[in-house]
Amino acid sequence: MNFELDPVIHAPNRLQMCCMLAAVDTIDFATVREALDVSESVLSKHVKTLEEAGYVKVRKAASDGRQRTWLSLSKPGREALKGHLATLKAMMAGVPET
């Protein structure tokens, strides 16, 4: 059996971020950073990787008098996540319960 995991999504922080984004229309950068407990620079690198793959959309807008960054999962990102999770489920189906 050949399992194809998406290497862009597979990194733990990116997988968690995609799952968070799948549950909402948009979410602000700071909320994701706090949830993942990573630095701004680490999250920025993960966002850039997902954005370059076309999986995440980034929008900057003023809110409460300051610039904020909003993230959303694109349609291709949702499809990629769905496929990645299906592959993980298929892989897990072959693991015996202990």
Side-chain angles (χ1 to χ4, degrees):
M1 222 177 220
N2 186 19
F3 297 109
E4 298 265 346
L5 293 171
D6 187 320
V8 174
I9 292 176
H10 193 65
N13 284 329
R14 290 195 296 264
L15 179 57
Q16 286 180 288
M17 184 177 7
C18 286
C19 289
M20 286 178 67
L21 293 172
V24 297
D25 289 331
T26 61
I27 193 167
D28 68 290
F29 183 92
T31 300
V32 175
R33 183 184 52 75
E34 290 171 15
L36 297 180
D37 194 28
V38 295
S39 67
E40 285 187 19
S41 63
V42 167
L43 183 57
S44 291
K45 289 177 186 176
H46 286 304
V47 168
K48 183 175 177 147
T49 298
L50 290 166
E51 184 180 25
E52 288 175 350
Y55 293 172
V56 168
K57 294 179 186 178
V58 177
R59 180 178 59 86
K60 297 188 183 273
S63 177
D64 298 327
R66 63 180 228 254
Q67 185 79 4
R68 292 180 68 180
T69 301
W70 297 92
L71 307 172
S72 60
L73 198 58
S74 66
K75 185 173 181 178
R78 288 183 187 280
E79 291 300 316
L81 178 61
K82 184 178 175 182
H84 188 81
L85 294 176
T87 299
L88 287 173
K89 285 179 186 175
M91 291 171 71
M92 290 171 34
V95 177
E97 290 187 34
T98 56

